[in-house]
Amino acid sequence: MFPFIFPLTLNRKLASGSLFLRPPTASINGHSPQLASVMLSRSRCVYRPLGRCLSAVNQANNMLVRQSVSGLSVCSRLVYSQPCEFPSSVGVNVRHFRTSAVYRDELVTVKTPAFAESVTEGDVRWEKAVGDSVAEDEVVCEIETDKTSVQVPAPAAGVIEELLVPDGGKVEGGTPLFKLRKGAVAAKAAPSLAAEAPSAAAAAPPPPPPPASDPTAMPPVPPVPTQAVQTKPVSAVKPTAPAPAPAPSTAGSRTENRVKMNRMRLRIAQRLKEAQNTCAMLTTFNEVDMSNIQEMRKLYKDAFLKKHNIKLGFMSAFVKAAAYALTDQPAVNAVIDDTTKEIVYRDYVDISVAVATPKGLVVPVIRDVETMNFTDIEKAINALGEKARKNDLAVEDMDGGTFTISNGGVFGSMFGTPIINPPQSAILGMHGIFDRPVAINGKVEIRPMMYVALTYDHRLVDGREAVTFLRKIKAVVEDPRVLLLDM
């Protein structure tokens, strides 16, 4: 008598999300399945059907049954249904195995992403609530920092189980934000589909009535009621009163609405006040004739757009002119280190461009402008503007900066005095282009003119350097050939 053992080998490959099943192997007293088949087939007390059965098991041993597991419950059954006839003298133990992988909803805790070195904390603004279903990479909340907003997406599709931080609460890098039950969206969708099936069957329209066999037959007479029907006079019927409409606002009413300042607005107010309290700000003005730069743009804007797939604007001319003037007047590009009481001179030019967003003013930085041409500057401005519109600006995009340009002309500003963006030492203010009468070679002509303003820290920059700097910008914008001649 030979004892038979049918073990089941189950291999799970969790990384790839797959389940591998291998049929059981047969062994006789520790011998291999192949040897067992040969030994039993040659035995006098074993019939030929048993040999065929063991050969089938041996062949099945070399096969892999792979079932994909995609986050849902998977049940697999391994059954050997081939009948085998054994002699009475041989004892055979046959076992049937069933394997299953039951899906368990995984609960994950999403934490606050790491901030930049200059940012330590932020305020949470929730976009979703407890019980809301979210898709993968869908924004669940935003963290407003001093410089920008950081979006926190869902790592996977699921349902929000718990919010660990209240709306408006302060968080640091690595703080737990919310708990997400992964895969709950797909799990809840199955019952809803099953519930829709009976409702659809119940909502099926009834079959049309069969046509009357005798169209000339009279309809049946309705039965006469045995009791008198209670009636009411028309005057006793009261109409249903309509729902009361909301009371209109009183004309000339005086109301107030208080809104909490977000962190970015608070930081902007703090920095602007620090600039007023720290810097000895002084502003000098000049005007720029935009005739030549407008003519250049008119001639080459179509070819520029066709070749580089971006529009040619006026900002590239002012940014390049500012880089040229900063190289000529290094004091405007320098900064005072109040801690060590030293002046830090930079041999590079990183220009911050002020951009107005619904949440406040941001200043992304164009780096190494002194090495760029008009095309490179336009591409950099276009890329940063696209990030600002999509609220994708990172803290790294706004760190640094040695000089700032603010263009109030896009809003129609004619004249203004910008405020320094600390710790910088100066800022250039651009304004709108308006036709004005000017004296040209003793004659009055109408020219497109723009007022420009330079606000500088008089602790570091003297009046001579500031005026020379602004006149250098005026010369380059009015005639870009100055850049080619290095004048």
Side-chain angles (χ1 to χ4, degrees), residues 3-11 21-37 40 53-64 78 80 92-97:
F4 293 138
I5 303 175
F6 292 86
L8 175 67
T9 303
L10 177 63
N11 294 329
L21 300 177
R22 190 170 63 195
T25 60
S27 61
I28 301 178
N29 294 335
H31 296 288
S32 64
Q34 294 85 356
L35 182 57
S37 177
L40 290 176
C53 183
L54 290 179
S55 298
V57 172
N58 185 29
Q59 293 176 2
N61 184 42
N62 299 325
M63 298 174 60
L64 284 177
L78 191 60
Y80 298 93
V92 180
N93 295 328
V94 180
R95 296 183 60 186
H96 297 272
F97 298 93

Side-chain angles (χ1 to χ4, degrees), residues 59-265:
Q59 293 176 2
N61 184 42
N62 299 325
M63 298 174 60
L64 284 177
V65 180
R66 177 171 180 172
Q67 296 185 354
S68 176
V69 179
S70 59
L72 300 177
S73 61
V74 176
C75 295
S76 59
R77 184 174 182 181
L78 191 60
V79 179
Y80 298 93
S81 59
Q82 181 177 357
C84 297
E85 299 178 359
F86 304 98
S88 59
S89 60
V90 178
V92 180
N93 295 328
V94 180
R95 296 183 60 186
H96 297 272
F97 298 93
R98 176 182 297 177
T99 62
S100 63
V102 181
Y103 172 76
R104 296 179 177 87
D105 293 338
E106 182 181 358
L107 188 64
V108 296
T109 301
V110 180
K111 297 183 179 181
T112 305
F115 297 141
E117 295 181 359
S118 58
V119 178
T120 58
E121 62 180 13
D123 296 338
V124 179
R125 293 290 181 266
W126 290 105
E127 301 289 341
K128 300 292 183 180
V130 175
D132 289 350
S133 299
V134 293
E136 186 175 359
D137 295 333
E138 185 176 357
V139 177
V140 178
C141 66
E142 286 189 359
I143 302 177
E144 295 181 353
T145 65
D146 297 342
K147 297 184 178 181
T148 185
S149 296
V150 180
Q151 295 182 344
V152 180
V159 173
I160 298 176
E161 289 282 329
E162 183 181 358
L163 302 181
L164 304 178
V165 179
D167 188 65
K170 293 181 174 58
V171 294
E172 299 178 353
T175 303
L177 287 174
F178 62 94
K179 292 183 179 181
L180 177 72
R181 188 167 295 279
K182 298 170 62 176
V185 175
K188 291 184 178 180
S192 63
L193 293 177
E196 289 177 0
S199 62
S213 59
D214 189 4
T216 60
M218 296 296 292
V221 179
V224 179
T226 58
Q227 296 181 358
V229 180
Q230 296 181 358
T231 60
K232 291 183 179 181
V234 178
S235 59
V237 179
K238 297 182 179 179
T240 305
S249 58
T250 307
S253 61
R254 297 162 58 85
T255 60
E256 293 182 353
N257 184 22
R258 293 177 178 267
V259 179
K260 184 180 179 181
M261 294 178 66
N262 58 43
R263 180 177 289 268
M264 185 183 299
R265 175 57 61 185

Side-chain angles (χ1 to χ4, degrees), residues 137-453:
D137 295 333
E138 185 176 357
V139 177
V140 178
C141 66
E142 286 189 359
I143 302 177
E144 295 181 353
T145 65
D146 297 342
K147 297 184 178 181
T148 185
S149 296
V150 180
Q151 295 182 344
V152 180
V159 173
I160 298 176
E161 289 282 329
E162 183 181 358
L163 302 181
L164 304 178
V165 179
D167 188 65
K170 293 181 174 58
V171 294
E172 299 178 353
T175 303
L177 287 174
F178 62 94
K179 292 183 179 181
L180 177 72
R181 188 167 295 279
K182 298 170 62 176
V185 175
K188 291 184 178 180
S192 63
L193 293 177
E196 289 177 0
S199 62
S213 59
D214 189 4
T216 60
M218 296 296 292
V221 179
V224 179
T226 58
Q227 296 181 358
V229 180
Q230 296 181 358
T231 60
K232 291 183 179 181
V234 178
S235 59
V237 179
K238 297 182 179 179
T240 305
S249 58
T250 307
S253 61
R254 297 162 58 85
T255 60
E256 293 182 353
N257 184 22
R258 293 177 178 267
V259 179
K260 184 180 179 181
M261 294 178 66
N262 58 43
R263 180 177 289 268
M264 185 183 299
R265 175 57 61 185
L266 287 171
R267 183 57 176 168
I268 291 173
Q270 179 183 357
R271 287 173 61 83
L272 292 179
K273 195 59 182 176
E274 287 178 357
Q276 283 187 331
N277 296 337
T278 304
C279 301
M281 291 189 292
L282 187 62
T283 306
T284 183
F285 303 93
N286 213 316
E287 59 181 2
V288 179
D289 186 353
M290 301 292 292
S291 300
N292 289 336
I293 197 71
Q294 280 189 343
E295 185 66 21
M296 184 188 74
R297 181 174 180 270
K298 182 179 179 181
L299 289 176
Y300 299 107
K301 65 178 183 179
D302 294 335
F304 189 87
L305 177 62
K306 183 178 180 181
K307 181 176 181 180
H308 302 290
N309 199 26
I310 53 174
K311 294 182 179 181
L312 177 61
F314 297 127
M315 278 298 297
S316 56
F318 279 92
V319 171
K320 186 62 181 177
Y324 182 73
L326 289 169
T327 305
D328 184 71
Q329 299 293 327
V332 184
N333 198 42
V335 65
I336 296 177
D337 189 349
D338 293 323
T339 304
T340 59
K341 306 301 180 183
E342 297 175 343
I343 300 176
V344 181
Y345 290 93
R346 285 83 166 253
D347 56 358
Y348 56 90
V349 177
D350 293 346
I351 296 182
S352 305
V353 180
V355 179
T357 64
K359 295 185 178 180
L361 188 69
V362 296
V363 281
V365 181
I366 307 174
R367 307 188 188 278
D368 299 324
V369 184
E370 75 278 5
T371 63
M372 293 183 175
N373 54 26
F374 279 43
T375 304
D376 298 333
I377 295 173
E378 287 291 349
K379 289 181 178 179
I381 293 175
N382 185 70
L384 292 174
E386 189 69 20
K387 280 188 174 182
R389 283 189 293 270
K390 294 181 179 180
N391 197 24
D392 289 340
L393 283 175
V395 178
E396 293 78 10
D397 296 327
M398 294 176 286
D399 274 344
T402 62
F403 185 76
T404 299
I405 297 179
S406 176
N407 185 9
V410 296
F411 306 109
S413 173
M414 180 179 179
F415 205 78
T417 56
I419 300 178
I420 294 175
N421 179 25
Q424 299 172 9
S425 300
I427 180 174
L428 176 68
M430 299 169 54
H431 301 90
I433 302 173
F434 301 97
D435 290 339
R436 293 199 304 271
V438 293
I440 304 296
N441 297 327
K443 297 181 181 180
V444 178
E445 297 183 9
I446 305 299
R447 294 290 183 93
M449 305 297 294
M450 175 192 288
Y451 287 117
V452 290

